[in-house]
Amino acid sequence: MNRMLSILYVDDEPDIREVASIAFGLDGGISIRTAASGREALDALAEPGYRPDVIMLDVMMPQLDGPGTLAEIRKRPEVAKTPVIFITARAQAQETAGYLKLGAIGVITKPFDPMMLPVEVRAMVVRAGA
Amino acid sequence: MSEDRIADAQAKFAALRERFLVRTAADLKAIEAALANPATLDAASMRSLVHRLSGAAGTFGFPKLSEAAGAADDALMGLGGEVDPALDSLHRELRATLRRR
């Protein structure tokens, strides 16, 4: 049986957040919380007791983008080691390598197949031993 | 995954897809306005529009629209291609997508 996973999904695009919520709902073992910006994600992570197992960050967001949000997360000892997956519409090999170098455990390319999203994320978590 | 859960998710995806198409009709008008009067083109809001389209269109099952939006996104970001032809191509694909609806 799959382990329970709590995911914080961060994307400024409301349609994509809804798609992700529905997609992760297909996996009875995943709970998802969404945030519409990097700042909103950081506020959620500052809440006492909220410690997601995985954080998914859209790369391109206004104001605080995905890599910028990751940098802020790494400054916070209580969540610094939380595995991060980037979501991006630009997945050239060089860019993907750059995101992995920043410490992400994986990169998901938009557009993604919603039915496969939970499977892909679980596979990344397993591969990373997270 | 249970069949009921999959059917429920597919119904929800269909509703979101319909909403996406309604918004796409508004996007078409914005692009038509930009093409009609390039001097008033707000590059930042156009970039935001095409970037959103590029990610969402593919997820909702419109790969050609996603591709055209991605090319326009690249052109507006200065990563390749000319802006006007890319917007023209996106405009054609938007019209075709809405016609097929």
Side-chain angles (χ1 to χ4, degrees):
Chain A
M1 189 176 161
N2 284 328
R3 64 180 267 214
M4 294 295 293
L5 272 186
S6 158
I7 295 175
L8 175 60
Y9 188 97
V10 190
D11 197 313
D12 61 315
E13 172 52 39
D15 283 344
I16 301 295
R17 289 199 303 276
E18 281 193 62
V19 167
S21 295
I22 297 165
F24 285 121
L26 287 165
D27 180 316
I30 293 180
S31 66
I32 177 171
R33 174 169 175 172
T34 62
S37 66
R39 185 55 55 199
E40 194 178 312
L42 293 172
D43 288 347
L45 292 167
E47 290 175 15
Y50 180 59
R51 298 291 173 264
D53 299 306
V54 180
I55 300 168
M56 297 182 67
L57 294 172
D58 184 28
V59 168
M60 198 175 281
M61 295 187 285
Q63 288 149 2
L64 191 56
D65 64 8
T69 307
L70 174 59
E72 291 300 316
I73 290 169
R74 294 299 188 236
K75 289 178 192 166
R76 300 181 177 193
E78 65 279 13
V79 289
K81 292 186 176 164
T82 308
V84 164
I85 295 170
F86 279 120
I87 314 142
T88 180
R90 298 175 181 284
Q92 306 291 340
Q94 197 178 351
E95 288 170 78
T96 299
Y99 300 140
L100 296 175
K101 208 170 173 182
L102 289 176
I105 64 165
V107 178
I108 285 180
T109 307
K110 283 198 274 190
F112 52 74
D113 177 353
M115 306 300 276
M116 292 306 294
L117 188 61
V119 179
E120 277 190 66
V121 168
R122 279 198 179 277
M124 285 175 180
V125 169
V126 168
R127 273 201 304 273
Chain B
M1 285 182 225
S2 76
E3 284 182 20
D4 282 353
R5 191 176 279 177
I6 292 171
D8 181 53
Q10 284 173 336
K12 287 177 180 167
F13 287 139
L16 281 177
R17 186 177 188 269
E18 193 53 36
R19 198 174 72 190
F20 167 78
L21 285 170
V22 169
R23 192 178 303 163
T24 297
D27 293 339
L28 175 64
K29 285 186 183 164
I31 289 171
E32 282 175 345
L35 288 170
N37 196 353
T40 63
L41 175 72
D42 175 352
S45 58
M46 190 54 65
R47 263 203 316 268
S48 166
L49 185 157
V50 299
H51 185 75
R52 171 172 55 74
L53 266 179
S54 152
T59 298
F60 289 120
F62 303 103
K64 283 186 180 173
L65 180 56
S66 175
E67 200 176 306
D73 194 14
D74 282 349
L76 285 161
M77 298 266 289
L79 297 174
E82 296 291 320
V83 171
D84 287 353
L87 284 180
D88 267 334
S89 170
L90 175 57
H91 176 245
R92 277 195 304 277
E93 196 52 48
L94 273 169
R95 285 178 61 100
T97 301
L98 291 168
R99 260 201 315 272
R100 286 192 293 264
R101 190 180 166 190

